[in-house]
Amino acid sequence: CTNEIEQLQPCLAYVEGQVTAPSSDCCKGLLSVHTNRPVCLCILMSSSTSVNSSTATLLPSICKVDTDP
């Protein structure tokens, strides 16, 4: 999931609580990863300690990406 992690880098500040809203680049990356390799989203959620899981769980609805949790 190396390429997918790179696509989600713009989301890092949001899921770590450093900013109050995700950027458009974050949402584009999320859509791309969800469309092409959704399993990477689960891997990232379970392996990262700096990610606020509550905030990360809200990201798809904020970005209007239809995911199945």
Side-chain angles (χ1 to χ4, degrees):
C1 293
T2 303
N3 290 334
E4 289 74 19
I5 290 171
E6 289 177 18
Q7 291 178 337
L8 293 172
Q9 282 296 324
C11 299
L12 199 55
Y14 175 72
V15 297
E16 288 182 339
Q18 298 172 9
V19 297
T20 58
S23 67
S24 62
D25 286 339
C26 167
C27 292
K28 289 176 191 174
L30 178 65
L31 178 61
S32 176
V33 173
H34 171 67
T35 301
N36 298 309
R37 294 210 44 211
V39 69
C40 293
L41 295 173
C42 295
I43 291 169
L44 289 170
M45 283 285 294
S46 64
S47 66
S48 179
T49 57
S50 63
V51 169
N52 179 322
S53 60
S54 298
T55 304
T57 303
L58 294 174
L59 193 56
S61 64
I62 293 169
C63 289
K64 297 180 180 20
V65 175
D66 187 22
T67 61
D68 183 6

